[in-house]
Amino acid sequence: MQRPLQVIDLLKFGAARHAKQEIVTRRLEGDIHRYTYADCYRRSAQMAHALTALGISPGERVASLAWNTYRHMELYYAVSGIGAVMHTVNPRLFAEQISWIINHAESGWVFVDLSFVELLEQIAGQLPQVKGFIIMTDKAHMPSTSLPNVHCYEALIEEQPRDYDWPDIDENSAALLCYTSGTTGNPKGVIASHRAMVLHAQATISRDMLDLSTNTVLMPMVTMYHVAAWGAPYAGPISGCKLVFTGDGTSGEAMAEMIRSENVTVGLGVPTIWLTLHNYLAENGLDIPSLERVCVGGAASPLGLVKTYDQTYGVYWQPIWGMTETGPLVHSAPPQADILSRSKDEQYRIQTTAGRPVFGIDARIVDADNQPLPHDGETRGELQVRGHWIASQYFRNDDLSSFPDGWLATGDIAVIDEEGFMKVVDRKKDVIKSGGEWISSLDIENIVSQHPAVNESCVIGVKHPKWDERPLLLVVLNKGETLTKDAIKQFLDGKIARWWTPDDVVFVDELPHTGTGKLVKNELRKAYQNYLTENSTEIVK
Amino acid sequence: MQRPLQVIDLLKFGAARHAKQEIVTRRLEGDIHRYTYADCYRRSAQMAHALTALGISPGERVASLAWNTYRHMELYYAVSGIGAVMHTVNPRLFAEQISWIINHAESGWVFVDLSFVELLEQIAGQLPQVKGFIIMTDKAHMPSTSLPNVHCYEALIEEQPRDYDWPDIDENSAALLCYTSGTTGNPKGVIASHRAMVLHAQATISRDMLDLSTNTVLMPMVTMYHVAAWGAPYAGPISGCKLVFTGDGTSGEAMAEMIRSENVTVGLGVPTIWLTLHNYLAENGLDIPSLERVCVGGAASPLGLVKTYDQTYGVYWQPIWGMTETGPLVHSAPPQADILSRSKDEQYRIQTTAGRPVFGIDARIVDADNQPLPHDGETRGELQVRGHWIASQYFRNDDLSSFPDGWLATGDIAVIDEEGFMKVVDRKKDVIKSGGEWISSLDIENIVSQHPAVNESCVIGVKHPKWDERPLLLVVLNKGETLTKDAIKQFLDGKIARWWTPDDVVFVDELPHTGTGKLVKNELRKAYQNYLTENSTEIVK
Ligand SMILES: Nc1ncnc2c1ncn2[C@@H]1O[C@H](COP(=O)(O)OP(=O)(O)OP(=O)(O)O)[C@@H](O)[C@H]1O
Ligand SMILES: Nc1ncnc2c1ncn2[C@@H]1O[C@H](COP(=O)(O)OP(=O)(O)OP(=O)(O)O)[C@@H](O)[C@H]1O
Ligand SMILES: [Mg+2]
Ligand SMILES: [Mg+2]
């Protein structure tokens, strides 16, 4: 008999087939916790009973503000398993955004990690629909709190039966609700169905995407509170890989420790995370011999870091492209024979694209009239995707403008080459329009990132009296380094078109990032919008 | 936008992502043909135009009697791509079965390989619904034939455009129609939907099933006229593996040649095929160094052959279980670290099971009242499966007795151990009931197959005056070998329960197989039913 695609079956399979494979968590309580997929499945069943006892019913949203931990993973399966909707909330957003999101989703219960109790206490008064809070810890670690109707996670499940008669769920019903990271405006809710998450998980473990197997030790440094840690909790159990969760540890030290002690082979995360790790390793003279690959998305891959990871650590930098609306994983460029057989330069070029779409996805670029543009590696257009696990509309939002003609308009400006490699050259809202022509901020950042003294950079469009907008370059230098503006401009010389050269360079101590590790360009645009006009002596030509 | 699961997208992906990967065919015309996935996709588009020009419409069945070739693969995609149903007919069935099947399916057009034109000429008169025939060759090789309304494959497509605007197809509509091999009675039609074939293809390429990658050179020795060559034409393009088709070459020589010249790494086929190959290699003192694995299903894996492939060729014998109703692939035991780390004996034990179900499938055993039995490695029951690509009923057949409670009753008697490894101990219709107790014919065959002098064996239940049925052992010896009945019985001694010992041993020159390489036990049962009563001196005890 043909069966629906259901999220709970992912863990059920892992618990049977890879019963003894480990899930290791650096706990918020301070210690290392380890157990197996079989344990995870049993405790998810216990949590399913607990949810049912709380009166949570199919379709209801259950929110979480929590790190990557085994408990969060159990919750994912328990909530979706009973037919309710796991609503992960990004605690790194502004307090008003968080309450707006919980209210918009009408989430009835909130699961919260110790770290975010205080945050919730501040906004609890603005959450009229929330019936109660569950603190994700054991009785010994329960804090005193002003939150109303509070439960303890471990107390809730301890007496519950260890198996659950999971109901059959319509595969098109909602399993997960995530909001976009709000880089370009108010977060939008994206529903992922059971079907989408199962198809996404199968694509994720395949060789063309994350290539996970029982030999993989996977450490997702993308968070379960944002785009489900790129689906790692779903993909892990069917691949049989070992999962390593770092809890609230996002420092270079925390990562290095877990990689070295658990022999992590594959890491997932945005570029900044790997910059953080590299900085820590370099400062402390440490190595990470077990690490084979970092899979990097959420922002463009800077050539400098790609090379550093190759040359210093022997780690393959595998680009990934995706967004909340796309599962998120869609494009990648894993180290397959076809790529490894090319010249090093060509490999680096590919590693700084965003990869190719996996099976199940179509990708194209279009012009302003939604007409397809050639995949010639030169032409720029807005990236559109469609496929097996791509969202078709936003949650409780009638605006279908992002979904023209059965495609998702991504808001990314990209080129696609003859082989299908796609490269994001800008976000539609970040694009710099100079004298009617486009300048790609990402291209410039990419080159600047290769300067040995540069730690991070950011190019934004700022007001210019003659050209409307001109690029301004913000640079964070490596510790102890100094550099002149001219030295940087010289470094760019010959590598980009003359008229792309930023009009000025500003050295800053740090750049602002969103909770998901992305540059907050709209903030910078605002802060620096009058920079050129006010510092007019600096205006070039 | 979320998209339906469609068969044509498998090839479309292969043509884009693995454009230059090869499909190599040993042609019926006598030469070796090679082209790429991109070529295959283009010619499928041309065929789609040709089918449309013939007036074939969505839902209509299009039959094929054809070997594994690139043209047959093109036809698969063209037919399903326009929404019609690819109906593969097994030309190895009896002529009356073939016309019965074509009429039952109401297939309107028949595509036929040169080898089967004569066969079709004989039954053409019994096919009132067939509008015409297409001979799968070029103009130079067109035979003269009495078939009415005959077309030439290459002539049909040569003028057609090389791309096709594939329609969106309801993923639950039929893509493929196969009939069971008729081992246990009249063949039954099984519809595979687009959805089922896409999910099956994705499961097929995964590490838990065939583990296909761009490094794989896959030679399916299971035929495209039976269960779609285990889905190889669907799985190949999304894995990017090279495909090697042997056309009408099923001899040891043909296989050895293709393996050696194309560097085949993985073979698919029933046990007899690998016996044939081994016999040929042994007789000719040849090796097959490129071959890494044979994936073997359709019948139980005999320990003798498993060992021979390991010890003589260094080839891993990977068991597979499946049936027409199940896609067909469902269970397997690939050489994963967890298995390779066990003792050689334990590995062999696992290799002679039928493996474990992959993600997407549930398996269980039940008693006569449909009640689940324990998975303890001892208890025997009828195997039931359900999952993402399992049929829910037979085509044009209201009998739902094989589909109790949302499960498919497989007709196989099996044990399942604590780890999930399943072993078929008999087919329900082959089981030997001696004095009210069951004797497993497969268990005995398995042990006999390990005797160095034995080439193949078969145990059937035959009439016995006292015990109702008793086992009779038929044996084919290796060339040049001799052996006494007692020597064989002694060989069995201590390896099976005393009362399982066959009452007699018959040495035969060969055993009858179906077109799919299976022992035809019901024929043997009929032929030998009175053997013990007529040769009563031989009755033991
Ligand atoms: N490999 C990549 N190269 C360049 N940019 C990438 C890459 N992967 C992801 N991105 C960027 O991240 C975006 C998706 O991010 P996400 O869904 O987390 O939220 P967001 O788009 O930043 O937030 P919001 O939509 O609320 O503004 C993509 O649209 C793209 O701009
Ligand atoms: N690994 C295996 N071990 C033992 N038997 C197997 C294995 N794989 C497949 N089989 C046998 O093959 C059967 C499926 O074969 P198939 O679908 O080709 O047609 P059939 O069952 O032989 O024909 P019909 O149903 O018409 O009698 C299974 O039911 C099982 O009996
Ligand atoms: Mg976005
Ligand atoms: Mg059968």
Side-chain angles (χ1 to χ4, degrees):
Chain A
M1 186 65 108
Q2 193 165 304
R3 303 267 308 149
L5 303 169
Q6 297 183 120
V7 159
I8 190 65
D9 288 335
L10 299 163
L11 183 58
K12 192 176 174 187
F13 177 81
R17 177 68 166 260
H18 308 291
K20 293 176 193 151
Q21 183 59 285
E22 280 186 319
I23 302 173
V24 182
T25 304
R26 184 180 173 284
R27 282 213 284 197
L28 276 74
E29 290 90 343
D31 54 349
I32 299 291
H33 173 270
R34 47 182 81 237
Y35 74 170
T36 66
Y37 282 124
D39 296 326
C40 183
Y41 183 57
R42 276 192 293 272
R43 283 173 45 99
S44 297
Q46 291 184 292
M47 180 46 79
H49 284 289
L51 297 173
T52 311
L54 289 174
I56 294 169
S57 52
E60 189 167 347
R61 267 81 57 205
V62 176
S64 66
L65 280 89
W67 295 103
N68 293 7
T69 71
Y70 65 103
R71 291 198 187 103
H72 205 177
M73 176 151 165
E74 293 160 7
L75 191 65
Y76 267 47
Y77 282 102
V79 170
S80 302
I82 65 165
V85 184
M86 184 72 242
H87 170 210
T88 55
V89 180
N90 185 342
R92 290 288 172 239
L93 299 177
F94 302 115
E96 314 83 74
Q97 282 182 311
I98 294 175
S99 49
W100 182 87
I101 286 173
I102 294 175
N103 290 330
H104 183 261
E106 287 186 68
S107 290
W109 293 84
V110 181
F111 282 72
V112 56
D113 259 344
L114 289 168
S115 349
F116 306 120
V117 172
E118 231 180 273
L119 173 72
L120 268 186
E121 286 172 345
Q122 290 163 28
I123 60 169
Q126 280 104 66
L127 304 174
Q129 330 226 27
V130 171
K131 297 168 204 153
F133 298 85
I134 296 92
I135 300 182
M136 299 174 79
T137 190
D138 52 26
K139 290 185 204 163
H141 291 84
M142 276 296 281
S144 63
T145 172
S146 65
L147 287 176
N149 196 16
V150 164
H151 298 267
C152 166
Y153 187 102
E154 293 297 331
L156 262 192
I157 67 172
E158 69 185 351
E159 301 289 328
Q160 301 294 352
R162 291 148 63 93
D163 50 18
Y164 192 88
D165 191 12
W166 306 103
D168 266 6
I169 292 166
D170 175 348
E171 66 180 30
N172 290 309
S173 67
L176 182 74
L177 172 59
C178 302
Y179 283 72
T180 63
S181 60
T183 311
T184 57
N186 235 343
K188 289 160 293 224
V190 177
I191 286 282
S193 66
H194 282 263
R195 171 188 168 105
M197 286 300 93
V198 170
L199 294 173
H200 183 266
Q202 284 199 284
T204 298
I205 70 168
S206 77
R207 283 193 161 79
D208 287 342
M209 187 47 81
L210 296 189
D211 193 16
L212 305 179
S213 75
T214 52
N215 297 325
T216 309
V217 182
L218 182 70
M219 184 175 85
M221 290 309 305
V222 282
T223 58
M224 288 173 68
Y225 59 67
H226 183 56
V227 212
W230 296 358
Y234 298 134
I238 55 168
S239 76
C241 74
K242 173 170 156 183
L243 283 172
V244 176
F245 291 137
T246 55
D248 62 355
T250 56
S251 66
E253 186 182 359
M255 286 188 265
E257 243 178 61
M258 290 304 270
I259 294 171
R260 289 161 57 93
S261 61
E262 298 301 328
N263 293 311
V264 169
T265 62
V266 179
L268 306 184
V270 294
T272 350
I273 275 287
W274 307 118
L275 178 62
T276 305
L277 176 65
H278 163 58
N279 286 342
Y280 175 80
L281 294 172
E283 271 164 36
N284 294 277
L286 289 173
D287 62 358
I288 38 167
S290 65
L291 198 67
E292 295 165 7
R293 272 185 292 145
V294 288
C295 301
V296 192
S301 292
L303 182 56
L305 267 174
V306 170
K307 284 186 175 171
T308 299
Y309 269 81
D310 179 33
Q311 293 163 8
T312 312
Y313 306 110
V315 168
Y316 194 88
W317 182 287
Q318 178 181 335
I320 298 265
W321 180 89
M323 55 198 290
T324 313
E325 294 84 338
T326 66
L329 305 183
V330 165
H331 284 66
S332 189
Q336 289 168 337
D338 161 46
I339 290 179
L340 296 179
S341 65
R342 305 188 194 193
S343 74
K344 211 61 194 191
D345 275 354
E346 175 64 3
Q347 285 181 44
Y348 289 146
R349 184 191 68 80
I350 289 172
Q351 289 176 279
T352 52
T353 70
R356 292 187 278 193
V358 296
F359 171 69
I361 302 287
D362 294 327
R364 66 177 191 181
I365 45 176
V366 298
D367 65 16
D369 300 324
N370 224 26
Q371 291 309 303
L373 293 168
H375 295 186
D376 56 12
E378 305 246 314
T379 311
R380 282 145 196 253
E382 182 174 6
L383 178 69
Q384 295 191 336
V385 296
R386 61 176 193 182
H388 295 167
W389 54 86
I390 307 293
S392 300
Q393 73 166 95
Y394 291 111
F395 182 56
R396 302 188 158 174
N397 187 329
D398 294 335
D399 181 3
L400 289 177
S401 58
S402 293
F403 307 92
D405 290 343
W407 293 80
L408 167 71
T410 66
D412 284 358
I413 307 297
V415 297
I416 300 179
D417 72 16
E418 290 84 355
E419 292 187 285
F421 290 104
M422 182 274 288
K423 186 169 174 147
V424 179
V425 293
D426 236 320
R427 304 190 69 158
K428 223 169 156 179
K429 302 205 174 169
D430 291 339
V431 113
I432 302 165
K433 274 168 224 110
S434 176
E437 301 254 30
W438 282 358
I439 296 175
S440 159
S441 58
L442 292 188
D443 276 357
I444 307 174
E445 289 165 11
N446 224 339
I447 295 164
V448 175
S449 80
Q450 294 165 57
H451 193 291
V454 171
N455 200 283
E456 201 180 6
S457 69
C458 175
V459 174
I460 51 173
V462 295
K463 283 190 198 154
H464 189 282
K466 179 165 174 196
W467 304 108
D468 278 348
E469 271 186 10
R470 286 296 299 162
L472 177 70
L473 171 61
L474 309 175
V475 174
V476 182
L477 293 175
N478 282 322
K479 267 192 189 145
E481 297 277 1
T482 51
L483 206 64
T484 64
K485 295 180 181 188
D486 279 346
I488 291 209
K489 285 189 189 166
Q490 240 156 40
F491 184 74
L492 283 169
D493 195 38
K495 300 193 177 93
I496 51 172
R498 250 284 157 77
W499 64 276
W500 279 33
T501 312
D503 283 28
D504 203 355
V505 183
V506 186
F507 296 100
V508 294
D509 286 342
E510 56 176 0
L511 289 164
H513 293 100
T514 63
T516 54
K518 299 181 186 199
L519 288 170
V520 193
K521 289 204 177 176
N522 53 357
E523 222 171 73
L524 291 169
R525 270 190 189 246
K526 217 177 287 168
Y528 286 89
Q529 58 178 330
N530 301 316
Y531 189 86
L532 289 183
T533 44
E534 285 165 5
N535 300 265
S536 55
T537 53
E538 296 281 351
I539 294 186
V540 181
K541 254 167 289 121
Chain B
M1 184 65 108
Q2 193 165 302
R3 304 267 308 149
L5 304 169
Q6 296 182 121
V7 158
I8 189 66
D9 288 335
L10 299 164
L11 183 58
K12 192 175 174 191
F13 178 80
R17 177 67 166 258
H18 308 291
K20 292 175 194 155
Q21 182 59 285
E22 281 187 318
I23 302 174
V24 182
T25 304
R26 184 181 173 283
R27 281 214 286 197
L28 276 73
E29 290 89 343
D31 55 350
I32 300 290
H33 174 271
R34 50 181 78 237
Y35 74 171
T36 65
Y37 281 125
D39 297 325
C40 182
Y41 183 58
R42 275 192 292 271
R43 282 172 47 97
S44 298
Q46 292 184 292
M47 180 46 80
H49 284 289
L51 297 173
T52 311
L54 289 175
I56 294 169
S57 52
E60 189 169 346
R61 266 80 56 204
V62 177
S64 65
L65 280 87
W67 295 103
N68 293 7
T69 72
Y70 65 103
R71 291 198 187 103
H72 205 175
M73 177 151 163
E74 292 160 7
L75 191 64
Y76 268 47
Y77 282 101
V79 170
S80 303
I82 65 164
V85 185
M86 183 73 242
H87 170 210
T88 55
V89 180
N90 185 343
R92 291 287 172 240
L93 298 176
F94 302 115
E96 313 86 72
Q97 282 182 310
I98 294 175
S99 49
W100 183 86
I101 285 172
I102 294 175
N103 290 329
H104 184 260
E106 288 185 69
S107 289
W109 293 84
V110 182
F111 282 72
V112 56
D113 259 343
L114 289 168
S115 350
F116 307 120
V117 171
E118 231 181 274
L119 172 73
L120 268 187
E121 286 173 344
Q122 289 164 28
I123 60 169
Q126 279 105 67
L127 305 173
Q129 330 226 28
V130 172
K131 296 169 206 152
F133 298 85
I134 295 92
I135 300 184
M136 299 173 79
T137 191
D138 53 25
K139 289 183 204 163
H141 291 85
M142 276 296 282
S144 64
T145 171
S146 65
L147 287 177
N149 195 17
V150 164
H151 298 268
C152 165
Y153 187 101
E154 293 297 331
L156 262 192
I157 68 172
E158 69 185 350
E159 299 291 330
Q160 301 293 351
R162 291 147 64 92
D163 51 17
Y164 192 89
D165 191 14
W166 307 102
D168 267 7
I169 292 167
D170 175 349
E171 66 179 31
N172 290 308
S173 66
L176 183 74
L177 171 60
C178 302
Y179 284 73
T180 64
S181 60
T183 312
T184 57
N186 235 342
K188 289 160 295 227
V190 178
I191 286 281
S193 66
H194 282 263
R195 172 187 167 103
M197 286 302 91
V198 170
L199 293 173
H200 184 265
Q202 284 199 285
T204 298
I205 70 169
S206 77
R207 285 196 160 78
D208 287 342
M209 186 49 80
L210 297 189
D211 193 14
L212 305 179
S213 76
T214 52
N215 298 323
T216 309
V217 181
L218 183 70
M219 184 176 84
M221 291 308 305
V222 283
T223 59
M224 287 173 69
Y225 59 68
H226 183 56
V227 212
W230 295 359
Y234 297 133
I238 54 166
S239 76
C241 74
K242 173 171 158 183
L243 282 173
V244 175
F245 291 137
T246 56
D248 62 356
T250 57
S251 66
E253 188 181 358
M255 286 188 265
E257 244 177 59
M258 291 301 270
I259 293 171
R260 289 160 58 93
S261 61
E262 298 300 329
N263 291 312
V264 169
T265 62
V266 179
L268 306 184
V270 294
T272 351
I273 275 287
W274 307 118
L275 178 62
T276 305
L277 176 65
H278 163 58
N279 287 342
Y280 175 80
L281 294 172
E283 271 164 35
N284 295 277
L286 289 174
D287 62 358
I288 38 168
S290 65
L291 199 67
E292 294 165 7
R293 275 185 290 145
V294 288
C295 302
V296 193
S301 291
L303 182 57
L305 267 175
V306 169
K307 284 186 175 171
T308 300
Y309 268 80
D310 178 33
Q311 292 163 8
T312 311
Y313 305 110
V315 168
Y316 194 88
W317 182 287
Q318 178 181 332
I320 297 266
W321 179 90
M323 55 197 291
T324 313
E325 294 86 337
T326 65
L329 305 182
V330 165
H331 285 67
S332 187
Q336 289 168 335
D338 159 47
I339 291 180
L340 296 179
S341 65
R342 305 187 194 194
S343 74
K344 210 66 193 183
D345 276 354
E346 176 63 3
Q347 284 182 45
Y348 287 146
R349 183 191 69 78
I350 287 172
Q351 288 176 280
T352 52
T353 70
R356 294 186 277 192
V358 296
F359 171 68
I361 302 287
D362 294 327
R364 65 177 192 180
I365 46 175
V366 298
D367 65 17
D369 300 323
N370 224 25
Q371 289 310 301
L373 293 168
H375 295 187
D376 56 12
E378 306 245 315
T379 311
R380 284 148 193 253
E382 182 174 5
L383 177 69
Q384 295 191 336
V385 295
R386 62 177 192 181
H388 295 166
W389 54 86
I390 307 293
S392 300
Q393 73 167 97
Y394 290 112
F395 182 56
R396 300 187 159 175
N397 187 327
D398 294 336
D399 181 3
L400 288 177
S401 58
S402 293
F403 306 92
D405 290 343
W407 292 80
L408 167 71
T410 67
D412 284 358
I413 307 297
V415 296
I416 300 179
D417 72 16
E418 290 84 354
E419 290 187 285
F421 289 104
M422 182 274 288
K423 187 169 173 145
V424 178
V425 293
D426 234 321
R427 304 189 70 159
K428 224 168 156 180
K429 300 205 174 169
D430 291 339
V431 111
I432 301 164
K433 275 169 223 105
S434 176
E437 301 253 29
W438 282 357
I439 294 176
S440 158
S441 58
L442 293 188
D443 275 358
I444 308 175
E445 289 164 12
N446 223 339
I447 294 163
V448 174
S449 81
Q450 294 165 60
H451 192 290
V454 171
N455 200 286
E456 201 181 4
S457 69
C458 174
V459 174
I460 51 173
V462 297
K463 284 191 198 154
H464 188 283
K466 181 164 173 197
W467 305 106
D468 277 347
E469 271 186 12
R470 286 294 300 159
L472 177 69
L473 171 62
L474 308 175
V475 174
V476 183
L477 292 176
N478 281 322
K479 267 193 189 145
E481 297 277 1
T482 51
L483 207 64
T484 64
K485 296 181 178 187
D486 279 347
I488 292 212
K489 284 190 189 166
Q490 240 157 39
F491 184 74
L492 284 170
D493 196 38
K495 300 193 179 90
I496 52 171
R498 250 280 159 76
W499 63 276
W500 279 33
T501 311
D503 283 29
D504 203 354
V505 182
V506 186
F507 294 100
V508 293
D509 286 342
E510 55 175 2
L511 288 165
H513 294 101
T514 62
T516 53
K518 299 181 185 200
L519 288 170
V520 194
K521 288 204 177 177
N522 53 358
E523 221 172 73
L524 290 169
R525 269 189 189 247
K526 217 180 281 167
Y528 286 91
Q529 59 180 327
N530 301 316
Y531 189 86
L532 288 183
T533 44
E534 283 163 7
N535 299 267
S536 56
T537 53
E538 294 284 347
I539 295 188
V540 180
K541 252 164 293 114

